[in-house]
Amino acid sequence: MPAADVAWMLAALALVIIMFPGIALFYGGMVGSKNALNMIMMTMSTLATVTVLYVLFGHGLVVGDSVGGWGLIGNPDGYLGFLGIYEDPGEAQLVDPYWFAFYILFAAITVAIVASGAVGRMKFGGWLVFSAVWATLVYFPLGHWVFAFDGEGTQGGWMRNDLGLHDYAGGTAVHMSAGLGALALAMVLGPRKNMGSRPHNLPLVLLGAGLLWMGWFGFNGGTAGGANFLAQYAVMTTLIAGATGMIGFCLVEKIRDGAPTTLGMASGIIAGLVGITPSADAVDALGAIVVGVASGAFVAWACTWKAKLGVDESLDAFAVHGMGGIVGSLCVVLIGYSGSPAGIKGVLFGGSWDIAWREVVAIGATCGYAFVMTWIIAKVLDKTMGLRVDEEKEFAGLDLAEHSESAYDIERSGGSLGEARADRLSGAPSAERIAALAARTEAEESRAAASDPA
């Protein structure tokens, strides 16, 4: 393997890491100012939690030999603790430690997306436990189904090897699972007491979308495995789909609401990127335009569903990632380009319908498993340890109640009066009760500082 391949893959890993502050800012700007830091903490913490799990046993569950040869879950024995895998080949090539690191990021970003279903009402400790259990019982099995392949005596996942699913970089295991997981978590938690809170910082949202877009070049480009034609092809389609996702989303906004929005533009970028994830190697440039516009438009329409369903899936992961992933997977079937690296001819161009049922089965299995398992996990944890904060903390905001800090100096900026007025109008507890909570927190911090021997 040329050294350039190794260099590109190391750069791709660094790009994927940028996705974590990207999603933190994207989600953090979309919530109210009193929950911004909590949202950032939830998304960033998944990198810590999942990394430990992945080192201990996760990699084997994802890419290890299938237990029983059924393709349902990998055997962790060969990778427990990443022991015995540090041999230097003496030449430029990608070795196990690199792939361990790369797949850790795939797993962690998937879990971070699920936080969309828990905005402003979930205990941070409960989130840490939930995210660890969700990664183990939902993502690791799905990752095995999609990413583990037969070769050199290994036994792979059933979707990739037995079903013949085409999923370039995780439209199923990453995006559909996270979208349906967020929906199920939101249903278990129930709606926020004050659902009227609006995005508090749209420039942060757009900045987060830009960082995510940048990271996506590493996500899709790195999946190619080297500095090769496939990587260049995937980078091209990723750029096009992200750009045209804006068009699809904003067009629906203009028709439906009368005006396109900055939030819609940012959401459209992510929708297009989600759509191209499973199809980046299967469509040409014109096809990437179709993927982007179709994903953006469908996601914009799907965002209206939650109001009709009465589900407070606050940041639309279900629509953007769940529905966007489905659109991208179906585009492989419909408009696949035979001259692409994947070599799949879409049915609209005279291709075989054989791949269609395979994609549909994979979509149904992924969405069904992710939704049901997430609902069970959330229900069990809610009954045993309790996942939701009490009403007073919810109205005070989780930045203060869970982390004893604030994203902004509200008192100096003059925002406290406006927030208190909004709380009174929404039926929230009085400003005096919220102030009392803040005073108790400050007193506890003062006592802790006084008793600290340092």
Side-chain angles (χ1 to χ4, degrees), residues 55 80-89 95-97 100:
V55 169
L80 285 172
F82 285 7
L83 299 175
I85 49 83
Y86 307 114
E87 181 179 351
D88 184 354
V95 292
D96 282 342
F100 294 161

Side-chain angles (χ1 to χ4, degrees), residues 389-397 401 429 433-434 436-437 440:
V389 299
D390 60 46
E391 184 175 304
E392 187 175 10
K393 288 184 176 180
E394 185 173 338
F395 279 112
R433 288 178 62 191
I434 294 175
L437 176 61
R440 287 200 302 271

Side-chain angles (χ1 to χ4, degrees), residues 175-423:
H175 296 292
M176 292 181 211
S177 69
L180 273 295
L183 179 65
L185 178 60
M187 292 176 69
V188 172
L189 289 174
R192 290 166 290 173
K193 299 298 182 182
N194 178 19
M195 291 181 61
S197 61
R198 303 168 67 181
H200 84 281
N201 195 322
L202 288 175
L204 275 189
V205 174
L206 193 57
L207 175 60
L211 291 175
L212 283 168
W213 199 350
M214 184 177 181
W216 232 288
F217 291 124
F219 196 92
N220 285 352
T223 300
N228 50 35
F229 173 73
L230 178 56
Q232 298 171 70
Y233 196 97
V235 165
M236 174 196 73
T237 54
T238 299
L239 172 64
I240 294 170
T244 54
M246 288 188 280
I247 297 174
F249 201 108
C250 289
L251 277 175
V252 171
E253 282 191 316
K254 176 63 177 177
I255 295 169
R256 182 188 62 201
D257 307 322
T261 66
T262 305
L263 180 60
M265 176 178 287
S267 299
I269 292 171
I270 306 304
L273 295 171
V274 169
I276 204 64
T277 298
S279 57
D281 66 335
V283 297
D284 61 0
L286 293 176
I289 291 177
V290 175
V291 171
V293 172
S295 298
F298 191 81
V299 164
W301 174 61
C303 283
T304 63
W305 294 357
K306 69 177 182 182
K308 297 178 181 179
L309 294 173
V311 177
D312 185 13
E313 199 278 281
S314 314
L315 308 182
D316 292 315
F318 168 65
V320 175
H321 295 273
M323 297 298 101
I326 290 174
V327 171
S329 294
L330 293 178
C331 283
V332 174
V333 176
L334 297 174
I335 60 171
Y337 171 56
S338 59
S340 68
I344 297 173
K345 181 185 288 188
V347 296
L348 295 182
F349 301 136
S352 170
W353 280 95
D354 180 66
I355 191 177
W357 70 267
R358 301 177 190 276
E359 295 284 326
V360 171
V361 168
I363 290 169
T366 300
C367 293
Y369 180 82
F371 181 85
V372 172
M373 282 301 299
T374 305
W375 193 89
I376 292 173
I377 292 167
K379 270 293 183 182
V380 170
L381 292 179
D382 192 40
K383 294 295 184 182
T384 54
M385 64 179 292
L387 292 180
R388 186 157 182 161
V389 299
D390 60 46
E391 184 175 304
E392 187 175 10
K393 288 184 176 180
E394 185 173 338
F395 279 112
L398 300 192
D399 288 0
L400 178 64
E402 291 286 290
H403 309 293
S404 299
E405 57 183 350
S406 175
Y408 305 97
D409 189 342
I410 297 174
E411 196 170 301
R412 291 189 181 184
S413 66
S416 57
L417 180 61
E419 291 199 1
R421 183 182 297 113
D423 285 342

